[in-house]
Amino acid sequence: MASSKVGSIGEYIREQRTRAKISLRQLADVSGISNPYLSQIERGLRKPSAEILQQIAKGLRISAEALYVQAGILEDREADTDVQAAVRADLVLTERQKQVLLDIYASFLKENEASGVLGAEADEPDEPDEPDEPAETAAPEETGPDQAGPNQAGPERKGREEVG
């Protein structure tokens, strides 16, 4: 059973490396792990430690947690939302940036859950747009900046009365 886990982590690392479009040698350079050792991991001949997995994750710019789960070091957690999956899969963001975004997202979810916002929005998604429609009338367009209205004449008269 353990050998299948070792093989699956190697396969997973190879898959992530191919998706990132980097060679084994490039991954070795950025992760600080020797090329032969990485090759052995990918072929399922070696079982990497948590520290090695962390270095590989950094080199691949993926979550070390994902590698830990694949290697059987951590138990799998709840399935990610689309937002969480997108943040974790982003190849441009650093691990720290991903974690900050995920923390902020989690705090928004918690806040919405506490205030009951999620339930209200799910029940009535179109209602917030409806009140805005009657607000558009022709009245604001009639008094433009080029037209002299009572507000514009008032201060001028007041100023003249004070002087004279």
Side-chain angles (χ1 to χ4, degrees):
M1 183 81 175
S3 63
S4 67
K5 269 292 184 195
V6 173
S8 68
I9 185 61
E11 291 167 13
Y12 183 78
I13 290 170
R14 179 175 297 180
E15 181 182 316
Q16 295 302 311
R17 181 177 57 77
T18 356
R19 282 185 182 178
K21 297 180 180 166
I22 61 174
S23 69
L24 192 62
R25 189 171 305 238
Q26 289 170 320
L27 179 57
D29 289 341
V30 296
S31 65
I33 300 168
S34 75
N35 190 12
Y37 188 61
L38 275 175
S39 176
Q40 290 174 351
I41 291 171
E42 283 192 359
R43 290 182 289 144
L45 302 175
R46 298 280 184 175
K47 182 178 180 182
S49 67
E51 184 179 319
I52 296 295
L53 288 173
Q54 186 174 15
Q55 289 176 263
I56 293 171
K58 184 179 176 185
L60 291 171
R61 294 185 175 194
I62 62 172
S63 167
E65 184 178 323
L67 290 181
Y68 295 157
V69 169
Q70 281 294 321
I73 296 172
L74 282 180
E75 288 186 24
D76 203 1
R77 55 183 161 69
E78 284 183 24
D80 284 344
T81 65
D82 290 343
V83 172
Q84 292 166 323
V87 169
R88 286 191 201 331
D90 193 305
L91 297 175
V92 178
L93 298 174
T94 66
E95 286 303 310
R96 179 161 165 31
Q97 291 168 334
K98 289 177 186 181
Q99 192 56 54
V100 169
L101 282 173
L102 291 171
D103 290 345
I104 292 169
Y105 180 70
S107 72
F108 285 155
L109 291 178
K110 205 177 271 188
E111 181 181 317
N112 288 348
E113 184 180 327
S115 65
V117 171
L118 289 177
E121 287 179 358
D123 294 339
E124 305 166 3
D126 293 331
E127 284 193 25
D129 293 338
E130 292 176 14
D132 292 342
E133 292 174 16
E136 293 182 30
T137 61
E141 294 174 13
E142 291 175 8
T143 54
D146 297 339
Q147 298 174 345
N151 291 342
Q152 291 176 345
E156 290 177 14
R157 288 185 190 149
K158 184 178 179 183
R160 288 184 191 147
E161 289 172 1
E162 289 176 3
V163 173

